[in-house]
Amino acid sequence: MSSDADAFRTALRSSKNIIAIAGAGLSAASGIPTFRSANGLWRNHDPVQLATPQAFDKNPSLVWQFYNTRRTTALNASPNAAHMALAMLCCPDMLQVLAPSQANFTLITQNIDGLSTRALKDVLAKRDGERQDSQPSMIYEMHGRLFDIICTTCSHIETNYDPSLCPALSETQQNCSNDKNTCADIPLELLPRCAKCGGLLRPGVVWFDEKPRHLTQIWSLVDKADMCLVIGTSNTVQPAAGFACEVKDHGGTVAVFNVEWNPDPEFDLNPDFLFLGPCEETLPKVLFNID
């Protein structure tokens, strides 16, 4: 296991199929809390227990208030330097500079905050007018997005960045800040409703006991990858924890960028490169040789 940035960049230059697997640590510097941050509770509720289909069926008012809080936090956040570094890799001409061996790059993120997509849009907007010979790389948001909403009746999906999904949620958001421990009991008919059929909407995220998105495409990329960047995660949550292991098992190179490295022994991943520290600092520095 090495922390030699020059050696990493040499390995990157010879890579052809590069994937990055991002976790919650990628968005930490943007002020996005994780489920288990702070005291592990949200208004006296365990967030993990709210992230299930069963919780939504039992108390959609409570679950919607939790996710509305997360939507508000994400709307007020901005992409950090690590998001921007990955967005640069998504640009084919920049990727060609760092990995000139006709490389492909794909970002696979477990985050639901949409900041990686926003970072790519920001990078492309700044480069507007420059020659673009090919499309930017794909970003797979395998756990869905906070800003997607799904109808539980007709299954219609749409993306909505409106800070106010419905008056009742806006009112409870204003009246109950995060440091208070009470939640309103919003009647079912006042929760977000589908514009097409009037059915109850749910957050467009992947809950526990639900299947992550894009797994067929992701596993195809993993099978071909000869370089895997593990960013902002200790590689303990399945199925994402298995991606880097698979790359390593078939002879690829794995580089970890995280504040710590205490992986689950079950996965037995010994990365080739380990860069400890906040990824918004280590990732741009190592990728672009910034002192």
Side-chain angles (χ1 to χ4, degrees):
M1 193 183 305
S2 170
S3 58
D4 186 329
D6 288 332
F8 166 77
R9 287 189 287 270
T10 297
L12 184 65
R13 280 195 295 272
S14 63
S15 300
K16 294 185 177 181
N17 294 295
I18 306 163
I19 61 173
I21 302 163
L26 174 64
S27 295
S30 297
I32 304 293
T34 67
F35 272 157
R36 298 170 179 84
S37 61
N39 62 4
L41 295 177
W42 173 82
R43 300 183 190 173
N44 282 338
H45 297 278
D46 179 359
V48 175
Q49 298 302 316
L50 299 179
T52 68
Q54 296 78 15
F56 187 75
D57 289 341
K58 180 180 179 180
N59 194 337
S61 170
L62 178 63
V63 173
W64 256 123
Q65 287 174 77
F66 172 58
Y67 280 95
N68 193 53
T69 298
R70 300 190 75 194
R71 279 173 52 91
T72 301
T73 300
L75 279 171
N76 292 329
S78 298
N80 63 56
H83 292 114
M84 303 307 287
L86 289 170
M88 292 296 290
L89 278 182
C90 288
C91 298
D93 54 344
M94 178 57 69
L95 180 63
Q96 181 70 17
V97 172
L98 297 177
S101 299
Q102 299 298 315
N104 298 304
F105 174 72
T106 305
L107 172 58
I108 302 162
T109 179
Q110 301 170 78
N111 297 337
I112 61 175
D113 51 46
L115 290 178
S116 291
T117 302
R118 285 168 56 187
L120 180 56
K121 289 181 180 178
D122 289 348
V123 166
L124 293 177
K126 291 177 181 178
R127 295 159 62 84
D128 188 32
E130 296 183 20
R131 183 180 178 188
Q132 298 289 332
D133 291 325
S134 52
Q135 293 296 314
S137 300
M138 287 291 298
I139 298 176
Y140 286 113
E141 295 165 297
M142 63 181 294
H143 290 165
R145 297 188 293 184
L146 280 169
F147 303 104
D148 286 348
I149 46 179
I150 305 173
C151 180
T152 59
T153 300
C154 72
S155 302
H156 174 67
I157 303 175
E158 65 179 60
T159 301
N160 187 317
Y161 289 96
D162 191 335
S164 175
L165 283 177
C166 68
L169 283 177
S170 296
E171 183 177 351
T172 58
Q173 184 72 20
Q174 293 170 1
N175 293 340
C176 186
S177 61
N178 282 335
D179 60 351
K180 295 182 180 179
N181 293 322
T182 59
C183 289
D185 185 11
I186 301 174
L188 193 64
E189 64 272 15
L190 297 183
L191 290 171
R193 314 300 296 193
C194 178
K196 286 185 173 292
C197 74
L200 177 66
L201 294 173
R202 58 157 281 180
V205 300
V206 175
W207 284 325
F208 293 105
D209 300 328
E210 294 183 328
K211 184 179 180 180
R213 312 272 170 83
H214 316 296
L215 280 183
T216 299
Q217 298 94 321
I218 289 171
W219 276 114
S220 177
L221 292 165
V222 169
D223 289 341
K224 295 183 293 185
D226 56 4
M227 169 70 78
C228 177
L229 313 181
V230 179
I231 302 164
T233 173
S234 292
N235 211 55
T236 58
V237 178
Q238 284 282 38
F243 299 157
C245 294
E246 177 59 32
V247 173
K248 183 72 173 176
D249 287 347
H250 67 238
T253 299
V254 174
V256 171
F257 298 79
N258 201 36
V259 292
E260 60 182 4
W261 184 242
N262 297 304
D264 190 327
E266 175 186 348
F267 303 113
D268 193 27
L269 175 63
N270 183 29
D272 301 276
F273 297 95
L274 176 61
F275 300 101
L276 292 177
C279 56
E280 68 275 9
E281 298 175 7
T282 58
L283 190 62
K285 178 179 180 180
V286 172
L287 279 178
F288 303 114
N289 196 16
I290 300 173
D291 293 325

